[in-house]
Amino acid sequence: MLTGKTALVTGSTSGIGLAIARAMAAEGANVVLNGFGEKGAVRDLVAGIGATTAGEVVHLPADMAKPDEIAAMMAEAERRFGAVDILVNNAGIQFVSPVEDFPVDKWDAIIAINLNSAFHTIRAALPKMKAKGWGRIINTASAHALVASPFKSAYVAAKHGIAGLTKTVALETARAGITVNAICPAYVWTPLVERQIPDTAKARGLTEEQVKQDVILAAQPTKEFVTVEQVAALAVYLTGDQAKQITGALLPIDGGWTAA
Ligand code: NAD
């Protein structure tokens, strides 16, 4: 379905981004991976995903906290492939703390990586998408783009910001053959979730097992984690012709969390 198209997925060396990159490659797209990782492991990822697609797979290691590195990554992707047709803004980090103790550097990093980076990639990708009359922008937001949880002030603020950016850019591009949507998953079992369990346990005075059962899955009526493959399948669907009239949407994939 995506032969001849180029997909750039930020934060795609792990978790949801990696699953989206794999799914785009399986549809025949060229894929630009981005994200941190040990050199050999990243080389193996590029080779492994490359073997599954007729397209080309590269890794561009820009730090999504740094606007100049983002600009260089977008320029390099355009130089290699002519355009970024499918832009997936997925890189994200988390930090959990009561707001009055929230470290200022953590706040700044979360806003930079989870929100500002999408502004920088979008403004770089749009001119070519507009010239081609086709583009897909998919932002990995979160259920936390729709509802809040305590101790996640920076993350919730950034994700609500992504929701606003998604809707605004969708309106600006509505007549240009471009759709802009946000996927809003609840808890997906990835390293990002695994890493926040000890801090949440500390902040709430619970054991790590209690955090999993009583905090994390308590929010999800189905009592099951979302899988990375389920999120990736929704992202691929949004690239198709069937999804042409879906734009400016915040799409929950959350086991019923935000229905409550
Ligand atoms: P993850 O930790 O498994 O992967 C994060 C990816 O982002 C990695 O590839 C990492 O190298 C990359 N990254 C981090 N900082 C970066 C930076 N400064 N520059 C470039 N790359 C950077 O996390 P995940 O769970 O797959 O999360 C991916 C996205 O999904 C995030 O935006 C997150 O907020 C969102 N999300 C996750 C969940 C969940 O439960 N896991 C739920 C809703 C939304």
Side-chain angles (χ1 to χ4, degrees):
M1 187 167 90
L2 299 177
T3 303
K5 300 272 196 280
T6 297
L8 183 148
V9 187
T10 72
S12 48
T13 50
S14 168
I16 294 169
L18 177 55
I20 293 175
R22 286 198 166 116
M24 299 285 173
E27 295 294 335
N30 299 315
V31 173
V32 180
L33 295 169
N34 158 263
F36 300 138
E38 191 263 317
K39 234 183 185 163
V42 171
R43 207 174 34 231
D44 289 350
L45 273 185
V46 170
I49 299 174
T52 68
T53 180
E56 198 184 330
V57 180
V58 299
H59 174 256
L60 298 178
D63 181 342
M64 300 305 288
K66 298 186 176 152
D68 54 337
E69 291 192 19
I70 297 171
M73 173 185 76
M74 297 303 291
E76 176 60 14
E78 195 175 306
R79 190 190 66 75
R80 284 192 192 216
F81 297 111
V84 172
D85 304 296
I86 300 162
L87 170 64
V88 183
N89 290 305
N90 171 83
I93 59 168
Q94 174 63 287
F95 191 83
V96 178
S97 161
V99 67
E100 67 272 30
D101 301 328
F102 214 96
V104 171
D105 63 329
K106 296 287 187 202
W107 174 279
D108 288 344
I110 288 176
I111 300 298
I113 296 164
N114 296 18
L115 175 58
N116 295 348
S117 69
F119 160 67
H120 292 297
T121 56
I122 287 170
R123 71 196 177 95
L126 269 185
K128 273 286 159 69
M129 287 183 181
K130 283 184 174 170
K132 292 175 87 170
W134 197 94
R136 295 286 185 268
I137 299 174
I138 300 166
N139 299 320
T140 308
S142 168
H144 284 120
L146 304 166
V147 294
S149 295
F151 312 123
K152 296 184 178 177
S153 52
Y155 188 86
V156 172
K159 295 298 186 181
H160 276 64
I162 278 288
L165 180 66
T166 300
K167 292 195 263 188
T168 305
V169 181
L171 296 180
E172 291 182 20
T173 59
R175 301 292 298 276
I178 298 165
T179 69
V180 189
N181 293 291
I183 297 179
C184 301
Y187 289 102
V188 188
W189 190 253
T190 68
L192 178 140
V193 167
E194 220 174 330
R195 276 194 303 267
Q196 68 185 277
I197 287 174
D199 287 347
T200 306
K202 219 177 350 173
R204 290 179 182 253
L206 299 172
T207 67
E208 294 191 11
E209 196 47 41
Q210 283 171 322
V211 168
K212 265 197 215 169
Q213 293 305 319
D214 303 341
V215 180
I216 298 188
L217 291 179
Q220 265 163 249
T222 58
K223 302 291 174 207
E224 288 176 17
F225 285 97
V226 181
T227 69
V228 293
E229 290 80 11
Q230 289 161 355
V231 179
L234 179 53
V236 168
Y237 177 75
L238 288 172
T239 67
D241 281 345
Q242 309 91 320
K244 213 173 154 189
Q245 293 305 319
I246 302 177
T247 194
L250 312 178
L251 301 165
I253 172 165
D254 67 1
W257 177 357
T258 56

